[in-house]
Amino acid sequence: MNNTIEKALLRQQEVERAQREAGTSTTQPEFDENGRRIRRDITQEPDKPAQYTEKRFEIDLAALEKKGFVSTGSARSHISEEYREIKRKLLANAFGTLSSTLNNSNIIMVTSARPSEGKTFTAVNLAMSIATEQDKRVLLVDADVLKPNTLRTLGLKERSGLMEYLLGDVYEIGEVMFRTNVNKLRIIPAGRSHHLSTELLASQAMSNLINEFSTRYPDRIVVIDTPPLIGINESAVLANFAGQAVVVVEEGRSKMSDIQKAVERLNPDMAIGFVVNKSVNNSDTNGYYGYSYYGSDREIDEPEAPEKPSQSD
């Protein structure tokens, strides 16, 4: 026991010496008797640690708009208008009358029944649209830890993220929460893959993190890009944390049986909506995304003429 304690003290002394040599003055980490770092309760941490405020992503907004994504600028586009309509319903669920009946109403998971139905495209567009709100902030979390695609969709390089935090490799969540050149948008990447990703996402550390996101900032929406629901355990785990789910359905491809299986894997107490993607008809417009919703009453509204040129995950 004494030898173990001595090792822990030596490790702490080494950290302190390295920080002094680097000229830093950050709070010293704590170690247990086995020399492992102790993670502090995230609710005790400062709002925006000074050492992390300069970490940011530069998103090429012009390139993103050319690819058919929602514009955060002054130009009005058809897809921007459609996502305005979709987000209004989600924001109403998050902060309106229904919010009192939902657990974590401002946590929105975006998923699909099967891969390549457009869920990441939808998650990014929702986040970009919500970021244009005057009194709301949005955090986009890539929790598709099996096939991360959020950063690639945004034209960004992969970085450490959620998995590093849950593994304890990253000490503070602020180390992997990146600012962007979109003022009200923050991003947490998925990070590296891990064979225990299901267990990590089901951990108390993840539960504490979601609780932090849900309660600390009254004006924050959290959009979580999750894996497809069928055959993947991670999405079912994440469904226990979110108050709302947006299920992306590909017109002409998604099978009704798959959609039913996907909904069965969601928390029955969630507010669940559908975005119909990749739908085309013969109208003289460019087409748009349809959104239908059913909440606690489980009554489905018919989507209004859903249409959109093809977009993939």
Side-chain angles (χ1 to χ4, degrees), residues 61 65 70-77 80-81 84 132:
L61 299 175
E65 186 176 352
V70 166
S71 171
T72 59
S74 57
R76 297 177 72 95
S77 64
S80 295
E81 292 302 309
R84 280 192 174 102
T132 64

Side-chain angles (χ1 to χ4, degrees), residues 37 39 163-171 175 192:
R37 187 175 59 185
R39 191 194 303 281
M163 294 302 290
E164 280 77 8
Y165 175 77
L166 295 177
L167 285 164
D169 296 342
V170 170
Y171 185 45
E175 295 182 61
R192 76 173 189 267

Side-chain angles (χ1 to χ4, degrees), residues 229 236 257-268 272 294 298:
L229 284 161
S257 59
D258 284 347
I259 297 171
Q260 291 173 340
K261 289 178 183 177
V263 171
E264 289 171 359
R265 293 178 64 83
L266 293 171
N267 186 334
I272 304 172
Y294 70 105
R298 314 314 251 177

Side-chain angles (χ1 to χ4, degrees), residues 155-186:
L156 303 171
K157 294 182 179 179
E158 293 294 336
R159 303 286 290 274
S160 296
L162 179 62
M163 294 302 290
E164 280 77 8
Y165 175 77
L166 295 177
L167 285 164
D169 296 342
V170 170
Y171 185 45
E172 310 290 355
I173 191 61
E175 295 182 61
V176 293
M177 183 186 295
F178 294 85
R179 291 171 173 265
T180 73
N181 51 319
V182 178
N183 183 43
K184 296 181 180 179
L185 172 65
R186 304 289 183 271

Side-chain angles (χ1 to χ4, degrees), residues 1-140:
M1 176 66 72
N2 290 337
N3 186 46
T4 301
I5 296 175
E6 289 173 0
K7 288 181 179 179
L9 290 173
L10 285 173
R11 182 175 296 184
Q12 184 171 2
Q13 290 171 1
E14 290 173 359
V15 172
E16 292 173 350
R17 183 170 60 253
Q19 289 183 332
R20 285 196 300 271
E21 292 173 355
T24 62
S25 58
T26 58
T27 302
Q28 307 301 323
E30 298 174 2
F31 297 86
D32 64 17
E33 62 180 16
N34 296 315
R36 293 191 295 258
R37 187 175 59 185
I38 300 173
R39 191 194 303 281
R40 288 173 293 175
D41 187 341
I42 57 175
T43 61
Q44 299 174 358
E45 296 305 312
D47 184 6
K48 296 176 182 177
Q51 63 266 39
Y52 307 137
T53 54
E54 294 306 312
K55 287 192 172 184
R56 57 185 276 141
F57 283 125
E58 289 292 330
I59 302 171
D60 189 336
L61 299 175
L64 209 61
E65 186 176 352
K66 287 180 180 179
K67 293 179 181 178
F69 285 81
V70 166
S71 171
T72 59
S74 57
R76 297 177 72 95
S77 64
H78 202 74
I79 191 169
S80 295
E81 292 302 309
E82 292 311 313
Y83 273 92
R84 280 192 174 102
E85 181 178 352
I86 293 171
K87 75 174 176 180
R88 292 265 72 82
K89 298 178 182 180
L90 295 170
L91 292 175
N93 293 342
F95 302 107
T97 304
L98 188 62
S99 64
S100 62
T101 69
L102 300 173
N103 183 36
N104 297 337
S105 62
N106 61 334
I107 308 293
I108 303 170
M109 65 177 290
V110 181
T111 187
S112 58
R114 301 286 185 182
S116 302
E117 293 185 306
K119 65 177 183 58
T120 300
F121 180 81
T122 300
V124 168
N125 275 319
L126 277 176
M128 297 291 282
S129 183
I130 294 170
T132 64
E133 291 290 304
Q134 296 299 301
D135 57 355
K136 298 290 183 290
R137 291 186 289 174
V138 59
L139 173 63
L140 176 59

